[in-house]
Amino acid sequence: MENIRNQIKNFFLRILNIPFAFLMHAIDLIMWPIQKIIGVRNMPYIFLLPNLIFFGLFVIIPLGANFFFSLSSGDELLFAERELPTTKQYDQLFDCESYLNPNTCTEDFFWRGVYNTIFFVVFQVGLMIFFSVLTAVILNKKIIGRGFFRSVFFFPVLLSPVVVGLIWQWILLKNGAFNAIIESYGGDKVSFLTDPSWAMASVIFVSIWAHMGFYTLIVLAGLQAIPPNLYEAAEMDGTSRERIFFRITLPLLMPNLLVVFILASIKGVQTFDEIYVLTGGGPGTSTSLIVQYIFTTGFASSGSVQNFGLAAAASMVLGVVLLFLTLMQLYFSRNKESKHQEI
Amino acid sequence: MNFKFILKAISVALVSFSLTLISAVSFAATDVRIMWYGDGDKENVPIAAQIDEFNAANPDINVILDIVPYDAIMNTLPIQLAAGEGPDIARVTDLGGLNKYYADITPYVADPSYYEKSFGPFLNWYRKPGDTTSIHGFHSTMTVTGPYVNKTLFEQAGVDLLGPGATWEEWAAVSIEVAEKTGTPIPMAWDRSGHRVSGPAISMGAKYFDSSGDPKLVDDGLKAMTQMLYDWHQAGTMSKDLWGSVSGSKYHAPNDWWNAAEVVFMMSGSWQIGRFANEVGDDFDWWAVPAPCGPAACTGMPGGNALLAFNANPAVGKVMDYLSSKEQLSSFIGQVLAIPGHLDLQVDYQTDDPNAKHALNTFAGAVPTIDQVAFDLQAHVDNRIMFNAIISRLGQAIVGEMTMEEAWERMDEDVEKQLKEKYGG
């Protein structure tokens, strides 16, 4: 019986092998002359070429175009019709009597965006790390329904930012679900999204809710990588729980927390869509971040001049910040790898 | 089977294939793409029916109707056009702002004089400065800005509606009185739009242009109206929740509050009539009231939307002729309950709603009272720059990001900066 089964299996494998063999021969027909010309050692570049072409087409060329846009002026989109070169856009962006007071800057919306972004990133990332660690520590314990809770905390990460924005808008609006609960307990309605003093707190909260699951997962992986014998030894020595956390868990989690910090900072600086849906950047400009400034200046001017050059210059500034954060991430992750290798 | 036979067979197959391809291309219909935003099914269903009818009667032309959100018309369409893409025709409200992209369809329409006779004053709104002859399209509907009141709330409060000649201050006072007596949360709500602010500002004396006709936004009239709006927000006459819910120059309308009878007085315009007739229904009586007065005038802003061509060819001309014909326009306007942009059109409005009928009469009656400054402003190519400067800076002042003095200074700077970017210098 087993023999017959193997024969049938082999028969089908041989049939399936025919198209594969044909394909391989066809590829050989192309690759063989190339290999003959450039040599075996250079063949990896040929295999990387498709990816590099797409990377160049969709990343490098737009980056270059963006740079040239930032050095041009006018409301035309095509290069041939724009005034070039000029540093006018950068001059305009950085023209301030006092950088600490956006009202004194020519591009006050940009500087409001900068300050709002700094505020947002500091609080969002700080609180995100705190809650991610807290959640991961709890989810690392043997609690009932641990798998279920891990899924629950990760679920918001799967949602589109627009969906996140809309869901929380329905909850936080003045006539939304949350205010209905407050009212049912005799409280007054709160303008979570339209009062400047509440709006930023609301968007930070929503952003943490939406992204915390991802970072919790990274911290959880770090927690599970800590050797259990360290905890056993500490317990045998009668070390208190707090001391175990601050002297063993937290130091050994540091590399993961660093990754979380940098990734969350990069993501925080780039935040746009969920806030745009939630508050539209309002009230006034109190939740308007840099990316919204770029979007509005370049693409959503509602009939005003579409200032592509200024938007491009602002995005170059943003690009420098993101480059710095990315280099930091690369440095620390390589540092971590080399330490692991030393161990 | 010899080699010659194979060659012959291939040749015959190629020739047949080419002929099929050529005939298919020859008989293919010409595509005409229309980018259309509509105020819900109220506008989308009638236009779709007209397009279907046109396509059935003209097999050589295939009109494709792309129904898009209003935001796409305001923000995506200009980018498409700047990139050399875009539809053949679009329904546009920034009439002068896109004029560099409009195509002259004069050679392709059956009777250019029909357009001059029927839409004469509006054609200049689409033309580039100095151009007095081109035909780019036609006014789909004309609009007039003005206020509505919740008449049921006035009746419940025992407060009489004010008549023509009442001032903005008087309307604010009675709206507050009605709100207090009926427990309505919002006495007054306005569309968040610089265009909506402009009619009342002109009533207060705003001129918008200097003596040489160049934009000059801030003057005593504009200051008076924007200060009034600021004060109303601080005093609770207007809710900060509406204008505070977005930023910059983003448009936002208080329809949800209005439909829920949470607003006594709503400043919007004639395009809301069909929507109110559908959405408010029998819930309460609503009336359009004459534009409140200031020391200089009692005016709303004219406006509207036009179907404008970005490509000129015989197919586009034929579509324009069909949609702008008296028969089609009358049918469309009658269904959507709007004011026609056609100067000589009899419309049989398809409604029994007395509120809608009253509102149509009120807004149609307001057209002759529109101030000349309002017409000039509407016709100006850079009016959006001024509208956006007003609303974004006023919005910031209202939520406390700057004083009104700073906001006025910024409004002028914004206009100057944008014009410099557009025209150089």
Side-chain angles (χ1 to χ4, degrees), chain A residues 74-77 88 103 105-109 112 174 191 194 279-280 283-286 292 299-302 304-307, chain B residues 74-75 78-79 82-83 94 100 241 244-247 249-250 262 384-385 388 393 396 399 401-402 406 410 417-418 421-422:
Chain A
D75 65 338
E76 301 292 346
L77 185 64
K88 192 181 117 184
N103 277 352
C105 301
T106 304
E107 279 306 311
D108 60 325
F109 287 131
R112 283 180 191 280
K174 199 151 188 188
S191 300
T194 52
T279 63
T285 55
S286 56
Q292 182 170 338
F299 305 106
S301 54
S302 300
S304 290
V305 174
Q306 287 174 314
N307 201 332
Chain B
M74 292 307 294
N75 296 322
I79 306 268
D94 183 11
K100 64 180 170 183
D241 286 322
S245 63
V246 286
S247 78
S249 57
K250 201 164 170 57
E262 291 183 348
R384 290 270 166 184
I385 291 175
N388 290 343
R393 295 307 180 178
Q396 281 187 281
V399 299
E401 286 181 1
M402 54 177 60
E406 286 170 329
R410 281 287 180 178
K417 206 164 62 181
Q418 298 259 323
E421 187 65 29
K422 186 173 179 180

Side-chain angles (χ1 to χ4, degrees), chain A residues 90-340:
Chain A
Y90 292 97
D91 296 341
Q92 197 169 317
L93 274 187
F94 290 99
D95 181 25
C96 277
E97 276 173 34
S98 160
Y99 289 112
L100 296 175
N101 180 5
N103 277 352
T104 64
C105 301
T106 304
E107 279 306 311
D108 60 325
F109 287 131
F110 172 74
W111 286 99
R112 283 180 191 280
V114 169
Y115 287 119
N116 286 341
T117 305
I118 292 170
F119 186 88
F120 176 82
V121 170
V122 166
F123 282 93
Q124 190 245 22
V125 172
L127 291 169
M128 178 107 76
I129 291 174
F130 173 77
F131 285 113
S132 296
V133 172
L134 191 71
T135 315
V137 167
I138 293 168
L139 291 177
N140 197 36
K141 292 196 183 305
K142 284 175 186 163
I143 53 169
I144 299 165
R146 187 164 68 164
F148 169 75
F149 285 114
R150 282 181 183 177
S151 309
V152 165
F153 278 100
F154 190 71
F155 178 69
V157 178
L158 304 175
L159 294 176
S160 133
V162 175
V163 173
V164 169
L166 284 174
I167 290 172
W168 280 100
Q169 198 183 45
W170 291 329
I171 295 170
L172 295 175
L173 273 175
K174 199 151 188 188
N175 291 329
F178 204 54
N179 270 319
I181 296 169
I182 292 174
E183 266 197 318
S184 70
Y185 284 98
D188 290 331
K189 285 181 177 178
V190 180
S191 300
F192 290 108
L193 302 178
T194 52
D195 182 337
S197 48
W198 274 102
M200 185 53 102
S202 302
V203 299
I204 288 173
F205 166 76
V206 172
S207 180
I208 291 172
W209 178 86
H211 302 290
M212 199 183 79
F214 176 69
Y215 302 108
T216 301
L217 216 63
I218 298 176
V219 178
L220 196 59
L223 283 174
Q224 286 174 352
I226 297 174
N229 55 356
L230 291 178
Y231 292 115
E232 286 163 13
E235 272 172 25
M236 282 171 72
D237 290 344
T239 315
S240 68
R241 284 184 172 190
E242 293 75 29
R243 202 170 160 79
I244 288 175
F245 179 77
F246 286 107
R247 292 302 172 101
I248 297 174
T249 309
L250 212 52
L252 290 172
L253 261 186
M254 260 322 157
N256 295 66
L257 291 184
L258 207 63
V259 170
V260 167
F261 169 74
I262 293 167
L263 288 180
S265 301
I266 292 172
K267 185 97 179 149
V269 172
Q270 292 173 320
T271 302
F272 166 62
D273 28 22
E274 60 210 24
I275 296 183
Y276 192 67
V277 174
L278 198 60
T279 63
T285 55
S286 56
T287 58
S288 176
L289 309 190
I290 301 180
V291 182
Q292 182 170 338
Y293 169 81
I294 294 168
F295 171 70
T296 312
T297 307
F299 305 106
S301 54
S302 300
S304 290
V305 174
Q306 287 174 314
N307 201 332
F308 304 116
L310 198 60
S315 67
M316 289 306 294
V317 174
L318 180 68
V320 170
V321 175
L322 289 173
L323 185 70
F324 172 72
L325 288 170
T326 310
L327 289 176
M328 258 176 74
Q329 188 208 352
L330 281 174
Y331 172 77
F332 285 117
S333 57
R334 282 187 185 162
N335 216 16
K336 184 183 153 190
E337 270 172 28
S338 59
K339 273 183 186 166
H340 274 289

Side-chain angles (χ1 to χ4, degrees), chain B residues 137-294:
Chain B
F138 66 95
H139 238 53
S140 166
T141 63
M142 190 197 170
T143 59
V144 185
T145 64
Y148 296 89
V149 291
N150 184 323
K151 191 163 166 271
T152 301
L153 288 176
F154 271 82
E155 286 163 2
Q156 285 172 356
V159 176
D160 291 333
L161 287 174
L162 301 178
T167 62
W168 276 105
E169 291 90 337
E170 288 165 348
W171 271 111
V174 292
S175 299
I176 293 166
E177 189 185 345
V178 170
E180 281 170 357
K181 285 184 175 170
T182 56
T184 310
I186 305 170
M188 198 181 247
W190 287 42
D191 285 353
R192 192 182 187 277
S193 151
H195 182 262
R196 238 60 88 232
V197 175
S198 293
I202 292 166
S203 298
M204 300 301 286
K207 294 284 177 231
Y208 283 84
F209 302 101
D210 61 19
S211 52
S212 53
D214 294 324
K216 174 73 186 80
L217 183 56
V218 179
D219 58 14
D220 289 344
L222 190 101
K223 280 183 179 176
M225 194 64 230
T226 47
Q227 182 69 53
M228 210 184 280
L229 282 161
Y230 174 86
D231 292 341
W232 286 339
H233 273 96
Q234 306 312 318
T237 308
M238 289 177 75
S239 168
K240 285 183 183 176
D241 286 322
L242 177 69
W243 285 25
S245 63
V246 286
S247 78
S249 57
K250 201 164 170 57
Y251 172 74
H252 198 73
N255 285 52
D256 290 344
W257 284 271
W258 171 261
N259 291 348
E262 291 183 348
V263 174
V264 177
F265 178 104
M266 175 172 161
M267 177 62 188
S268 188
S270 59
W271 58 92
Q272 298 274 18
I273 297 171
R275 180 174 264 207
F276 287 174
N278 283 339
E279 292 175 1
V280 175
D282 297 332
D283 292 352
F284 57 85
D285 286 336
W286 50 273
W287 269 22
V289 294
C293 298

